[in-house]
Every structure is written in structure tokens, then in C-alpha cells.
């Protein structure tokens, strides 16, 4: 009998390497290595979990090949033989769990985390980010470039000695190899400028010579450098990429991994929910590259459903599908798909909290997979020990924190009842799921409902818990996960505003011209929603910089010219506070103390949220002798990620 997802579970060869299915874990920076680039238990077990979860091919995040090429602190190093032993432990764990182990080799070039970077030409990024220096890079001499070719080959040989089945050369996402290929960053006049593909070609040939012609080489390439960014016009196009692909095949590359973008539009490499609603963000590029070559092509981009992966392979758009953030969200995606349990797949919500960790140079965490990064404690959730003494637990509030606490507690064998005063579970997730571009959160709610039902958790909705109800259940532990409510700032005329919650949920309508008070996450999302509906929106933010400015989602919105706010005509006034709300607009005051009137049909209050906890009930329970827990927004109004992590970890301690 054929499997429902027949194409996904067909084996395939890359060179002489047999891969059991068509799902690839692409390289994604985690910063789980040590401060000198050495291997750690955290890094090893993180990848082991994805292998144990059934992934066919695992490409480990970029290991830098020499001292001038680190992407970030705590990136993996393969600069010396001393790193082989640690890397062999990583390769071994991946292979013992049934996956093919590939190590990506990288030199970050002008995006290296160094004060003085190097590159093909003294041209840096237009918008230096977390890793790119603001000092123009030093142009490498021809002799240095030749030596870098040998550094890549030496690193590949170390990877082979460590037991990796293949290596991937990072020739995309704006790193050194792409910098040589791109006309935006390569203005050289030597052989490496006259032929911009030459560096990549020579690296491939050197690796094959050093490691053997049969040692597989995968090449991650850029299929479209600008994507839709006007500021990057003149970069690599799909037609350029097809020519490069043919040359790479002639040089000996065994498979291509197709993505797009670079450092100046890096948020498009892992697009958030604002940027892309459809799955297969790079499929249009892989389809064109596949027409040009006769080797396996890998691609993906915001793929999370088995149906999309299956169809892409069946339609010959590509040969293997990479699942990036989705495998962070659920390392068992492949096993659950094979067992025809897609309802059990924890969905990635495309929030980019994982990517934002890298912006802060912090270790990656996942908003929805609270075990991510802790696999060295429990590889998968099945490894979490049952409670020694099962308790009766009542959770008040069915927002993300309460639901995750209930799920984790039930996994451990506790008897859990959830009481929610609203008719539907979800809390803040209902708000998050309301805009069309955040439909992934609806998948998260469906997943919660499914998991809690399977675990036997009782859910009572449309009922406000009181002391009598809590006495009836005779709980050992009472969890207050009652969420948050909008802040009503002390502004004259604030009663004339409409709450952002009501606008997002469709309970209140607004006019054509709208002022949004608050430029944080809530204000920005309601502004984008209204702008997409054709409204003329102005955001007024009291801070000199929005608190989302250093996030992937913020960059997607706020980038001049190419950002979504510019595209949809949203005006943002920073360092500007509202002093009064009028019937036809507001009176605002800028940082210099100058007041001015801004007219509008409607004013939306999106200042923020504060904890909402039933004080009388809470105080009554404190003296009851029961174990009382407060979590999520009821403790402090934050993001979905914070509530879920808090709920999960507190449940492990009960």
C-alpha cells in the first residue's frame, strides 16, 4: 500500500550518498557552540533530536574555515585539527539516529563578526547589522583569495575525518562566496573579478581534490539577491544564478540548495508572517534552477505542511524540501508525517523569535517548542520523566501559558482541569491569530486542542472560576494564567479611542484616516492590518525608537523604501507623545516640546497590556494551603513565547 505522502518518503541519492527521505534540515545558526567554536552537549543533542525525529538529511549550521570568517561568537569552528574530535561526536550522534550528516562550511566575509572584515572589494553592507562592521572591509589580495580556496579544502577534509557524510559550501545569504559571485560586492579587476564565479568553482575543485571525487559536495546558492528590494537592484538574478549553477555542476557539485537574499535584506532569508503567507517561499527559484542542471535540487522557505512538500516534489519543482524553523518547532515532523499524524505536528508560527535571538547574539529559543535548546536534558518530550506523585491541578485561564502548563503537566501524569471564562480557548493567541497574515496561530490553537484532548485534559469554557468551583475540584495546585488586558493611558480624551483588541477582532470599525497610539508589536500589527485594508494610517510612538526595531518583524515593517510600512503608506512618528485625543484626531507633542494637531477619523489605543488577575480569588487562595502558581501575562504582560516557556518549565517542577 502506498504511503499518503509517497514522494516525501522516496529515497534519493546525492552522489553516492543514499538518503532515506526527501526532508532536509537546513543550516540554521543556534550559537550552541562554545565561545572558542568548540562542540558542546547542547549542540550535539539539538541535532540528535532532529535525527531521531526522522529527518533524512541534516545540514549542520556553518562552521567557519579560518580566523577571518566567524559569523558570530559561539559559531562552530573548523579552523584547526583540534576541533575534529568534538565534531566527530556531533556527526556520530546524527548518524546513529538514522540521518545523513552534512556540515556546512562558511566564511562570513564582510558579514563576519570582526572589527576589520575582509571581502572581494572594499564594499560593505548598506545597512550594517548585528555581524557586519561599519568599517569598510579590506580587499583580499589575489594570493589571499587563493589561500582561502585551500582553507575551504582543508576544512572539508577535517569534516570528512570527523565522519560527516558530505559538506555544504555556503555560497548564499550574502556570505563570502556569494560576495564574490555578486556584482554588488565584487568590483575586482583580477581573475576573481573578471570571472565572478571563479572563487566558487575553485573552492569546489579544491575540495574534490582534497577529499576525493566521490565525497559529496552540496552548494547553497543565491537564486535572487534583491528579491523585491529596490535598493539591491543589480544583484544576482535568477538568470545569473542559472549560469552559475551550470558551472558548479561542471566543477563537481553534487546537489544545489537554493535560497535568496543577503545581509541587507537578511530578514527575507527567514521571512516572518508579515512578509509571506504562502509556503515554499523559494520554490519559484528552485524550479528555474532545476531546469538548468541534472543534479538534485533542495529548497524551501516557510514550509510546514506535508501536503505542500509532497506536491512540490511531485511537480518536479525540486527534489528535496528543507524545513527550517518548522524543524525547530517540531523535531519529530518527519516521524509524525510518516505515522499519518499531521495533527500532532506542532506548527511554526513564523514569529521569528528564533532569528531575533541571533540579532541579540543570544542562543536560539523557539516560541512554541519550549524544549528547544534543552535537548541535552531530554532529547524529545517522550524522555521527560513522569511525576513521582501525580497531583490534581486546576488551571484558570486558557491562554498560551495556561494551555502549555496544562499540556506539560498532563504529559507527566498529573490530572488537569482548565477553566476559561471565554467561550473559546486561546487568550492572547486568539488576538494573534486574527490578522490574515498570522493564520499560523490558528494552527497552534488547533494543535493545543488536539493535544489536550488526547491527554485527557478537561476544559471548561464560558465559566468564571470562583472559590466554590475550586473547592469542588479539590486541587493540590491552582495555576493563575488569567492573561492581560489593554492599558488605558492617562491621556485626556482617551475614552474617545477604540481599543486595538476590538479592531483586530472586528468588533469595532474605524474610518479611512486612522491614528494608532503606540508603535510596539500591537500597534504595528493593527497598523499593518488597517493599511492592507486601504486605510491611511499614522503611528504615534512616544519612544525615540520602536521597541520592535531590532527584531526581524520590525525590520520587515520599518526598513526605508522596501519595508512594508513604506509599501502600504504607514507613517511613523517617533519621539512623539499624545497629549489629548479630540473628536477629529489628536494633539501630539514632539521631543522638542512642540505641539501640533493631527486629524483622523479614528484613534486606536495600542499602548500595551497589563496583567489581569482576579485579586479577590487570588488573595483567598493564598491562605488555603494549596500550591499557587502565577504565570504568563497574569504575572507580567509579554509575548506568547514567554508565556509558553514559563508554563512548560513550571509544569516540570510540579
Amino acid at each position: 500500500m502506498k504511503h499518503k505522502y509517497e514522494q516525501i518518503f522516496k529515497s534519493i541519492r546525492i552522489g553516492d550518498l543514499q538518503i532515506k527521505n526527501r526532508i532536509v534540515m537546513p543550516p540554521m545558526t543556534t550559537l550552541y557552540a562554545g565561545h572558542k567554536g568548540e562542540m558542546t552537549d547542547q549542540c550535539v543533542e539539538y541535532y540528535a533530536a532532529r535525527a531521531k525525529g526522522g529527518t533524512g538529511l541534516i545540514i549542520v549550521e556553518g562552521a567557519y574555515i579560518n580566523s577571518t570568517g566567524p559569523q558570530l561568537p559561539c559559531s562552530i569552528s573548523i579552523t584547526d585539527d583540534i576541533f575534529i574530535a568534538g565534531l566527530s561526536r556531533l556527526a556520530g550522534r546524527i548518524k546513529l539516529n538514522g540521518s545523513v550528516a552534512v556540515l556546512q562550511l562558511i566564511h562570513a566575509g564582510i558579514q563576519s563578526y570582526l572589527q576589520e572584515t575582509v571581502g572581494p572589494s572594499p564594499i560593505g553592507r548598506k545597512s550594517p547589522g548585528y555581524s557586519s562592521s561599519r568599517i569598510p572591509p579590506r580587499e583580499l589580495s589575489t594570493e589571499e583569495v587563493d589561500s582561502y580556496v585551500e582553507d575551504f579544502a582543508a576544512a572539508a577534509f577535517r569534516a570528512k575525518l570527523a565522519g560527516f557524510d558530505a559538506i555544504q559550501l555556503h555560497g548564499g545569504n550574502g556570505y563570502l562566496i556569494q560576495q564574490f559571485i555578486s556584482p554588488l560586492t565584487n568590483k575586482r579587476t583580477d581573475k576573481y573579478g573578471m570571472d565572478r564565479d571563479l572563487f566558487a568553482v575553485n573552492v569546489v575543485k579544491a575540495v574534490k581534490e582534497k577529499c576525493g571525487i566521490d565525497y559529496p559536495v552540496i552548494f547553497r546558492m543565491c537564486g535572487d539577491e534583491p528579491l523585491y528590494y529596490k535598493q539591491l537592484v543589480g544583484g544576482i538574478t535568477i538568470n545569473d544564478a542559472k549560469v552559475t549553477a551550470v558551472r558548479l555542476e561542471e566543477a563537481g557539485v553534487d546537489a544545489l540548495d537554493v535560497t535568496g537574499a543577503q545581509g541587507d535584506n537578511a530578514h527575507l532569508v527567514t521571512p516572518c508572517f508579515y512578509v509571506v503567507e504562502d509556503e515554499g517561499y523559494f520554490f519559484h527559484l528552485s524550479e528555474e534552477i532545476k531546469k538548468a542542471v541534472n543534479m538534485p535540487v533542495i529548497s524551501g522557505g516557510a514550509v510546514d505542511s506535508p501536503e505542500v512538500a509532497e506536491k512540490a516534489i511531485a511537480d518536479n519543482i525540486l527534489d528535496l524540501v528543507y524545513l527550517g524553523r518548522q524543524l525547530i518547532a517540531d523535531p519529530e515532523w518527519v516521524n509524525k508525517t510518516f505515522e499519518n499524524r499531521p495533527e500532532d505536528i506542532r506548527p511554526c508560527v513564523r514569529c521569528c523569535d528564533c532569528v531575533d535571538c541571533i540579532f541579540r547574539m543570544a542562543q536560539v529559543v523557539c516560541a512554541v517548542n519550549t524544549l528547544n535548546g534543552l535537548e541535552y536534558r531530554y532529547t524529545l518530550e517522550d524522555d521527560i520523566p513522569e511525576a513521582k506523585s501525580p497531583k490534581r491541578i486546576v488551571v484558570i485561564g486558557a491562554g498560551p501559558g495556561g494551555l502549555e502548563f496544562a499540556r506539560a503537566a498532563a504529559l507527566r501524569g498529573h490530572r488537569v482541569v482548565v477553566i476559561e471564562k471565554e467561550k473559546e480557548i486561546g487568550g492572547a493567541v486568539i488576538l494573534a491569530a486574527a490578522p490574515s497574515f498570522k493564520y499560523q496561530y490558528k494552527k497552534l490553537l488547533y494543535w493545543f486542542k488536539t493535544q489536550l484532548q488526547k491527554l485527557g485534559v478537561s476544559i471548561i469554557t464560558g465559566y468564571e472560576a470562583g472559590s466554590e468551583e475550586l473547592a469542588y475540584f479539590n486541587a493540590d495546585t491552582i495555576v493563575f494564567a488569567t492573561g492581560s488586558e489593554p492599558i488605558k493611558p492617562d491621556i485626556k480624551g482617551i475614552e474617545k479611542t477604540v481599543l486595538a483588541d476590538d479592531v483586530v477582532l472586528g468588533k469595532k470599525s474605524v474610518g479611512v484616516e486612522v491614528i494608532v497610539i503606540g508603535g510596539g508589536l500591537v500597534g504595528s500589527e493593527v497598523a499593518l492590518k488597517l493599511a492592507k485594508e486601504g486605510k491611511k494610517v499614522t503611528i504615534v510612538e512616544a519612544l525615540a525608537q520602536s521597541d520592535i526595531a531590532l527584531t526581524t518583524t520590525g525590520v520587515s515593517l520599518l526598513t526605508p523604501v522596501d519595508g512594508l510600512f513604506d509599501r502600504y503608506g504607514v507613517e511613523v512618528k517617533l519621539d512623539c507623545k499624545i497629549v489629548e485625543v479630540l473628536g477629529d484626531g489628536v494633539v501630539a507633542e514632539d521631543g522638542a516640546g512642540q505641539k501640533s494637531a493631527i486629524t483622523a477619523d479614528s484613534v486606536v489605543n495600542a499602548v500595551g497590556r497589563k496583567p489581569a488577575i482576579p485579586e479577590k480569588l487570588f488573595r483567598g487562595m493564598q491562605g488555603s494551603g494549596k500550591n499557587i502558581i502565577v504565570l504568563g501575562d497574569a504575572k507580567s504582560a509579554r509575548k506568547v513565547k514567554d508565556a509558553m516557556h514559563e508554563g512548560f518549565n513550571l509544569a516540570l517542577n510540579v
Side-chain angles (χ1 to χ4, degrees):
M1 183 177 176
K2 289 184 177 181
H3 196 280
K4 180 180 179 181
Y5 302 110
E6 177 187 6
Q7 300 298 326
I8 289 175
F9 293 103
K10 280 184 178 178
S11 64
I12 189 172
R13 300 185 78 85
I14 292 180
D16 291 334
L17 196 58
Q18 190 77 25
I19 302 161
K20 64 183 179 181
N21 59 53
R22 303 296 183 95
I23 301 302
V24 177
M25 180 180 182
M28 295 175 287
T29 304
T30 63
L31 304 189
Y32 292 163
H35 71 285
K36 294 181 180 179
E38 72 275 16
M39 196 44 54
T40 64
D41 289 343
Q42 183 182 26
C43 192
V44 169
E45 296 307 317
Y46 163 80
Y47 284 104
R50 276 76 198 167
K52 193 173 182 180
T55 307
L57 177 69
I58 290 180
I59 306 176
V60 174
E61 65 199 89
Y64 61 95
I65 55 110
N66 65 30
S67 61
T68 64
Q71 182 191 12
L72 282 169
C74 295
S75 295
I76 297 171
S77 175
I78 194 167
T79 58
D80 192 276
D81 291 351
I82 62 173
F83 296 105
I84 294 173
L87 288 166
S88 70
R89 190 158 59 95
L90 172 59
R93 284 288 283 145
I94 292 171
K95 291 159 72 172
L96 283 172
N97 279 294
S99 296
V100 169
V102 179
L103 181 64
Q104 185 188 69
L105 306 182
I106 187 174
H107 189 294
I110 64 176
Q111 292 170 202
S112 297
Y113 189 76
L114 296 170
Q115 185 67 20
E116 182 186 64
T117 62
V118 297
S121 303
I123 301 169
R125 289 290 172 227
K126 295 177 184 294
S127 304
Y130 60 88
S131 61
S132 300
S133 173
R134 294 185 179 276
I135 299 173
R138 177 179 64 81
E139 181 175 313
L140 291 165
S141 69
T142 304
E143 293 73 23
E144 285 177 305
V145 180
D146 289 338
S147 72
Y148 278 31
V149 170
E150 296 307 316
D151 288 343
F152 269 105
F157 190 65
R158 292 185 188 111
K160 183 178 181 180
L161 291 177
F164 283 94
D165 299 305
I167 59 101
Q168 182 185 78
L169 296 172
H170 201 334
N173 304 149
Y175 296 111
L176 185 66
I177 295 178
Q178 181 178 329
Q179 290 160 23
F180 271 90
I181 296 171
S182 173
L184 295 177
T185 45
N186 186 349
K187 305 293 184 181
R188 302 173 70 92
T189 56
D190 66 353
K191 62 182 180 179
Y192 290 111
M194 299 299 291
D195 179 357
R196 290 194 301 272
D197 290 335
L198 183 62
F199 180 59
V201 167
N202 283 357
V203 169
V204 172
K205 289 179 177 178
V207 169
K208 288 288 186 175
E209 184 177 346
K210 186 82 171 179
C211 298
I213 196 71
D214 294 330
Y215 189 63
V217 173
I218 302 170
F219 192 96
R220 171 162 268 206
M221 69 177 302
C222 174
D224 183 345
E225 189 170 7
L227 289 175
Y228 61 78
Y229 257 44
K230 299 172 186 174
Q231 299 174 76
L232 298 178
V233 170
I236 298 166
T237 67
I238 186 61
N239 289 330
D240 298 329
K242 289 167 78 170
V243 173
T244 300
V246 170
R247 294 198 57 192
L248 291 170
E249 184 171 32
E250 292 170 349
V253 167
D254 299 278
L256 291 172
D257 175 6
V258 183
T259 67
Q262 47 113 302
D264 282 323
N265 55 352
H267 63 285
L268 301 182
V269 177
T270 49
C272 70
F273 39 59
Y274 299 142
V275 174
V276 57
E277 295 186 31
D278 297 328
E279 299 180 49
Y281 188 61
F282 295 117
F283 282 179
H284 67 293
L285 301 178
S286 66
E287 185 174 20
E288 289 301 309
I289 295 297
K290 189 162 173 54
K291 294 174 184 176
V293 296
N294 294 301
M295 57 177 154
V297 173
I298 306 164
S299 195
V303 176
D304 59 68
S305 61
E307 290 76 14
V308 169
E310 178 77 6
K311 188 175 187 303
I313 300 167
D315 290 348
N316 205 33
I317 289 172
L318 40 60
D319 300 287
L320 300 98
V321 180
Y322 72 66
L323 306 181
R325 289 166 291 172
Q326 180 55 61
L327 283 177
I328 295 178
D330 195 336
E332 297 182 88
W333 189 97
V334 175
N335 285 346
K336 290 174 181 178
T337 299
F338 183 75
E339 294 162 8
N340 286 312
R341 299 189 288 123
E343 74 279 2
D344 289 335
I345 295 172
R346 183 193 290 107
C348 168
V349 294
R350 301 180 197 162
C351 63
C352 282
D353 279 350
C354 52
V355 184
D356 291 343
C357 292
I358 305 303
F359 270 106
R360 303 192 306 272
M361 286 180 284
Q363 291 187 329
V364 161
V365 296
C366 175
V368 297
N369 178 11
T370 45
L371 193 57
N372 184 75
L374 301 176
E375 293 87 357
Y376 60 92
R377 292 175 60 190
Y378 313 113
T379 305
L380 298 171
E381 286 190 345
D382 288 345
D383 301 315
I384 296 172
E386 291 187 0
K388 293 180 180 179
S389 176
K391 303 289 195 302
R392 294 184 299 274
I393 299 173
V394 172
V395 178
I396 306 173
L403 293 173
E404 182 65 358
F405 183 99
R407 189 187 70 86
L411 276 173
R412 299 188 59 224
H414 294 299
R415 287 173 286 173
V416 185
V417 175
V418 178
I419 304 176
E420 168 57 53
K421 67 178 182 179
E422 303 296 337
K423 293 180 180 179
E424 294 289 334
I425 69 168
V429 178
I430 294 175
L431 280 170
S436 63
F437 47 81
K438 294 182 72 176
Y439 71 93
Q440 292 293 107
Y441 282 91
K442 292 180 181 177
K443 290 187 177 182
L444 180 63
L445 275 182
Y446 172 76
W447 177 79
F448 264 128
K449 289 176 183 177
T450 303
Q451 302 314 301
L452 294 176
Q453 183 180 26
K454 288 188 175 186
L455 290 166
V457 174
S458 298
I459 301 176
I460 302 170
T461 57
Y463 202 85
E464 189 158 3
S467 55
E468 291 183 5
E469 289 75 23
L470 295 181
Y472 172 81
F473 289 110
N474 192 28
D476 304 297
T477 298
I478 298 171
V479 179
F480 284 85
T482 47
S484 60
E485 60 189 11
I487 294 172
K488 290 187 178 180
D490 185 18
I491 298 173
K492 185 178 179 181
I494 192 66
E495 69 279 358
K496 298 172 185 174
T497 62
V498 181
L499 287 176
D501 289 13
D502 291 337
V503 175
V504 170
L505 294 173
K507 294 179 179 180
K508 298 284 186 179
S509 59
V510 295
V512 175
E513 294 189 351
V514 184
I515 292 171
V516 176
I517 307 175
L521 188 61
V522 175
S524 295
E525 288 190 357
V526 74
L528 181 61
K529 175 185 183 297
L530 293 173
K532 283 190 168 187
E533 293 171 1
K535 312 292 186 184
K536 186 178 183 301
V537 184
T538 301
I539 294 175
V540 180
E541 167 59 52
L543 298 176
Q545 184 182 61
S546 169
D547 61 6
I548 67 167
L550 296 179
T551 65
T552 307
T553 50
V555 171
S556 302
L557 297 171
L558 297 168
T559 298
V561 182
D562 294 306
L564 292 171
F565 278 170
D566 272 3
R567 191 188 304 178
Y568 288 101
V570 176
E571 183 180 0
V572 181
K573 293 182 179 292
L574 298 172
D575 195 16
C576 185
K577 63 182 181 180
I578 305 297
V579 295
E580 184 177 359
V581 179
L582 307 171
D584 59 350
V586 300
V587 176
E589 183 179 304
D590 63 20
Q594 295 294 315
K595 293 182 180 179
S596 60
I598 308 173
T599 60
D601 302 314
S602 305
V603 181
V604 178
N605 173 16
V607 171
R609 307 184 72 82
K610 63 180 181 179
I613 192 164
E615 291 291 345
K616 184 177 179 181
L617 180 62
F618 178 66
R619 287 195 300 269
M621 289 297 106
Q622 282 184 310
S624 66
K626 312 240 181 232
N627 180 26
I628 306 298
I629 295 173
V630 182
L631 62 82
D633 278 10
K635 184 177 181 181
S636 176
R638 291 158 291 167
K639 299 176 73 174
V640 168
K641 174 193 73 177
D642 302 303
M644 289 188 64
H645 278 249
E646 203 164 75
F648 179 83
N649 286 290
L650 287 171
L652 295 187
N653 296 329
V654 174

